[in-house]
């Protein structure tokens, strides 16, 4: 195992306290700290020390793929780490967005010479585990519920949207297209009409909250088509390809396929390509977006996901309990969330405190974790 130095991304929606407090730094921070990246994504690769200087993990994987990744991962994914582990800390809503599946990503990247929508040929399924209470929009709910919620505002201009939704799941496509194609000059008026309605309940509260940041964005109404969930710590949301979602507030550990392909659908000043988003979206009801942890061994839980790119485990150890042994395939990235973790892969041994991370190459043996703390272990999902 070797210490891994992650990179902090300063997106405007980020918290000024969550990541700083996790790492034991003074809070509030000087600016927003939205995500701590712990991986080899070329946008912000983590580093390990080599001869007293930081070395990019991305470069090390290319230089020594068999050591770091192992033959099986190289054969499946090439000389890249297929997953990216993050700490995500949101103080304001992220944009409504969706990600392509693997086939769509390959075809989109090949056709998108200007890299407008597709910046790499990879899919981007993702799993987020709440560290705090976490609020999100994720996946389409029953369109009949959405129709009732939107109709309650009594806005005549929205009647075609309500009518489309009342046809069932088949009408979701038309409802989304109508809202995202709303004439730019009329968007502020639409949101104002929704807010002017004397309607109570969660849907009205959500619309008011989102309009505070996006007063002229039809995404305020698109949000009412989605599940609005509040996760307790330890609960997760799984977002496969094609599901519209937005993280609204809270701190979590996120693991995803290592891609930057994002198609936005509102709640953003950035470009929204309505045609491409509609092509990628899955217009189907997501019955239950919440994933609960499943125990796999004493002190170890996981959140099963149907992809080969990644798997995530949470480990809790105590001084008077046995060490935890995990025979997980390498490479392994370990993040200490609280307390102190001692991690040994038979090649190297490191001690991590809260906010620190380490990486073990595929050449190492099973992980042995001891100490007194809690951590997350990210690996590829290939067995």
């Amino acid at each position: 195992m070797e210490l891994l130095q992650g990179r902090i991304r300063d997106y405007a929606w980020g918290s000024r306290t969550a990541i700083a407090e996790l790492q034991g730094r003074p809070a509030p921070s000087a600016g927003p700290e939205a995500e701590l990246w712990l991986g080899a994504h070329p946008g912000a690769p983590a580093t390990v020390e080599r001869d007293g200087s930081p070395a990019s993990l991305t470069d090390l994987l290319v230089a020594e793929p068999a050591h770091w990744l192992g033959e099986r991962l190289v054969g499946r994914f090439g000389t890249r780490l297929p997953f990216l582990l993050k700490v995500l800390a949101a103080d304001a809503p992220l944009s409504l967005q969706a990600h392509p599946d693997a086939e769509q990503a390959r075809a989109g990247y090949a056709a998108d010479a200007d890299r407008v929508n597709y910046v790499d040929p990879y899919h981007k399924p993702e799993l987020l585990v709440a560290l705090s209470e976490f609020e999100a929009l994720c996946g389409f709910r029953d369109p009949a519920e959405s129709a009732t919620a939107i109709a309650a505002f009594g806005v005549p201009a929205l009647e075609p949207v309500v009518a489309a939704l009342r046809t069932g799941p088949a009408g979701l496509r038309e409802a989304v297209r109508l809202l995202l194609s709303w004439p730019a000059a009329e968007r502020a008026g639409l949101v104002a009409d929704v807010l002017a309605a004397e309607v109570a309940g969660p849907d009205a509260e959500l619309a008011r909250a989102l309009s505070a940041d996006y007063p002229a964005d039809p995404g305020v109404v698109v949000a009412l088509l989605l599940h609005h969930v509040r996760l307790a710590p330890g609960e997760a949301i799984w977002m496969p390809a094609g599901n519209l979602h937005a993280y609204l507030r809270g701190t979590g550990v996120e693991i995803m396929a290592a891609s930057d392909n994002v198609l936005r659908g509102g709640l953003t000043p950035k470009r929204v390509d309505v045609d491409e988003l509609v092509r990628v979206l899955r217009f189907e009801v997501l019955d239950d977006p919440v994933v609960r942890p499943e125990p796999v061994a004493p002190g170890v839980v996981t959140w099963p996901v149907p992809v080969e790119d990644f798997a995530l485990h949470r480990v809790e150890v105590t001084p008077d309990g046995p060490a935890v042994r995990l025979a997980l395939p390498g490479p392994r990235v370990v993040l200490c969330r609280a307390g102190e973790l001692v991690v040994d892969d038979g090649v190297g041994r490191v001690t991590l405190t809260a906010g620190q991370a380490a990486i073990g190459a595929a050449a190492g043996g099973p992980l042995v974790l001891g100490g007194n703390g809690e951590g997350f272990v990210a690996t590829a999902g290939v067995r």
Side-chain angles (χ1 to χ4, degrees), residues 308-370:
E308 293 186 327
D309 307 74
F310 59 81
L312 185 68
H313 293 75
R314 186 185 69 208
V315 177
E316 295 179 298
V317 292
T318 59
D320 53 351
V324 170
R325 185 178 187 274
L326 294 176
L328 298 171
R332 288 72 54 95
V333 175
V334 181
L335 167 68
C336 181
R337 187 272 173 105
E340 182 178 278
L341 293 178
V342 180
V343 190
D344 193 331
D345 67 352
V347 177
R349 184 173 183 266
V350 296
T351 299
L352 303 176
T353 57
Q356 289 187 310
I359 185 167
L367 291 184
V368 178
L369 298 98

Side-chain angles (χ1 to χ4, degrees), residues 219-269:
V220 170
V221 184
V222 176
L224 303 181
L225 308 181
L226 307 177
H227 291 284
H228 183 197
V229 301
R230 291 178 173 86
L231 302 178
E235 292 182 324
I237 44 179
W238 158 241
M239 283 290 99
N243 277 271
L244 194 61
H245 63 283
Y247 301 144
L248 302 181
R249 201 170 308 276
T251 304
V253 167
E254 186 179 27
I255 188 167
M256 61 179 62
S259 169
D260 257 350
N261 287 324
V262 178
L263 294 161
R264 292 177 175 84
L267 304 183
T268 178

Side-chain angles (χ1 to χ4, degrees), residues 58-70:
T58 304
D59 294 341
L60 294 176
L61 298 185
V62 173
E64 304 175 273
H67 169 76
W68 284 102
L69 299 167

Side-chain angles (χ1 to χ4, degrees), residues 10-372:
D10 59 353
Y11 308 135
W13 48 262
S15 168
R16 291 175 181 260
T17 58
I19 295 177
E21 290 174 351
L22 172 68
Q23 296 183 324
R25 294 184 283 108
S29 55
E33 296 180 337
E35 296 178 343
L36 171 64
W37 285 25
L38 297 164
H41 192 284
T47 61
V48 297
E49 187 175 305
R50 285 291 182 271
D51 300 322
S53 299
S56 164
L57 183 58
T58 304
D59 294 341
L60 294 176
L61 298 185
V62 173
E64 304 175 273
H67 169 76
W68 284 102
L69 299 167
E71 292 182 3
R72 182 176 298 183
L73 246 64
V74 171
R76 174 66 180 83
F77 297 106
T79 59
R80 67 184 188 94
L81 191 65
F83 62 86
L84 174 60
L85 182 67
K86 297 180 179 180
V87 177
L88 182 148
D91 260 4
L94 283 68
S95 61
L96 285 165
Q97 57 190 265
H99 311 297
D101 63 25
E103 182 178 347
Q104 291 167 337
R106 286 192 296 269
Y109 183 75
D112 189 1
D114 295 328
R115 303 292 173 251
V116 175
N117 290 317
Y118 296 91
V119 296
D120 58 59
Y122 309 118
H123 67 165
K124 192 185 177 185
E126 53 194 43
L127 175 80
L128 183 137
V129 178
L131 296 180
S132 67
E133 290 188 359
F134 197 94
E135 187 179 359
L137 302 169
C138 45
F140 290 115
R141 62 176 175 170
D142 185 335
E145 294 179 16
S146 299
T148 298
I150 295 173
F153 290 99
V155 177
L158 287 172
E159 289 176 2
V161 175
V162 173
L165 292 170
R166 284 180 172 155
T167 67
L172 280 169
R173 180 188 299 270
E174 178 64 12
V176 170
R177 184 178 287 281
L178 283 169
L179 289 169
L180 294 185
S181 302
W182 211 269
E186 300 174 15
R187 292 181 175 186
L190 172 68
V191 176
D193 288 346
V194 168
L195 297 181
E198 295 182 2
V199 178
D203 292 300
E205 291 176 7
L206 175 62
R208 283 193 289 268
L210 295 176
S211 68
D213 292 300
Y214 301 103
D217 194 318
V220 170
V221 184
V222 176
L224 303 181
L225 308 181
L226 307 177
H227 291 284
H228 183 197
V229 301
R230 291 178 173 86
L231 302 178
E235 292 182 324
I237 44 179
W238 158 241
M239 283 290 99
N243 277 271
L244 194 61
H245 63 283
Y247 301 144
L248 302 181
R249 201 170 308 276
T251 304
V253 167
E254 186 179 27
I255 188 167
M256 61 179 62
S259 169
D260 257 350
N261 287 324
V262 178
L263 294 161
R264 292 177 175 84
L267 304 183
T268 178
K270 296 182 180 179
R271 177 177 179 272
V272 175
D273 186 329
V274 177
D275 290 338
E276 189 63 18
L277 176 68
V278 168
R279 191 182 73 82
V280 163
L281 284 178
R282 294 180 180 176
F283 291 99
E284 55 193 33
V285 175
L286 185 63
D287 291 329
D288 185 5
V290 179
V291 183
R292 280 81 185 178
E294 293 187 7
V296 295
V300 184
V301 300
T302 191
W303 298 263
V305 293
V307 293
E308 293 186 327
D309 307 74
F310 59 81
L312 185 68
H313 293 75
R314 186 185 69 208
V315 177
E316 295 179 298
V317 292
T318 59
D320 53 351
V324 170
R325 185 178 187 274
L326 294 176
L328 298 171
R332 288 72 54 95
V333 175
V334 181
L335 167 68
C336 181
R337 187 272 173 105
E340 182 178 278
L341 293 178
V342 180
V343 190
D344 193 331
D345 67 352
V347 177
R349 184 173 183 266
V350 296
T351 299
L352 303 176
T353 57
Q356 289 187 310
I359 185 167
L367 291 184
V368 178
L369 298 98
N372 183 24

